[in-house]
Amino acid sequence: MTRARFCPDHSEIVQLRCVDERPETEQCFGNQLWYFEGLGVDGERLRHSVFGVVEYSVQFGLHELVDDGVFESEPQRERFRHLYEREVHPLSWRQPAHRWLAVGLIAVMATWLAYLLIRILSV
């Protein structure tokens, strides 16, 4: 709440819940995504409904803050979740675009090597 410029003494968190948890494994760190709803009180003592998110990385059993945010509406918070999902799910070679990129790279490299080989042999 402090980073969103709300008074920490007068603001309150009404609800806090974990919406996504990926446990830590031998191969990769874990992640946790927490949502909270609350009432933020600004410098002019006006109350605002706030929708927040906190992302943690779980590394060797310790929670490290990765990112957080306070939003004015739930759809804004859901956009953050969309970005979070893209970060947590790494890209893979199973996606067709990545396979086409690899095939194109190999084709260009083979063409270039063939050109150099022909040029060297013709001299």
Side-chain angles (χ1 to χ4, degrees):
M1 292 285 211
T2 305
R3 288 180 60 182
R5 309 228 187 261
F6 291 116
C7 176
D9 297 329
H10 297 98
S11 300
E12 63 179 312
I13 294 175
V14 177
Q15 183 181 19
L16 177 68
R17 66 187 183 282
C18 183
V19 293
D20 188 38
E21 181 175 14
R22 293 187 174 87
E24 183 178 20
T25 64
E26 293 281 330
Q27 291 79 22
C28 62
F29 295 130
N31 290 71
Q32 287 186 349
L33 188 68
W34 291 78
Y35 276 5
F36 67 89
E37 286 85 28
L39 295 171
V41 179
D42 62 14
E44 298 172 0
R45 302 270 186 210
L46 297 174
R47 298 172 68 89
H48 304 271
S49 294
V50 293
F51 303 90
V53 62
V54 180
E55 178 187 357
Y56 290 105
S57 174
V58 182
Q59 301 177 11
F60 306 107
L62 301 173
H63 290 75
E64 181 178 329
L65 179 66
V66 175
D67 201 1
D68 61 356
V70 176
F71 305 97
E72 296 176 358
S73 68
E74 288 188 59
Q76 289 175 335
R77 180 172 64 184
E78 287 304 316
R79 278 184 258 158
F80 179 92
R81 174 95 185 251
H82 180 69
L83 293 173
Y84 166 80
E85 292 292 332
R86 287 190 7 206
E87 287 178 9
V88 171
H89 299 296
L91 302 174
S92 80
W93 288 107
R94 293 181 183 169
Q95 295 180 351
H98 294 158
R99 287 185 289 205
W100 280 110
L101 177 65
V103 168
L105 207 67
I106 291 169
V108 168
M109 184 176 63
T111 304
W112 182 252
L113 288 174
Y115 167 75
L116 290 176
L117 184 62
I118 291 171
R119 188 169 175 204
I120 289 172
L121 292 177
S122 66
V123 172

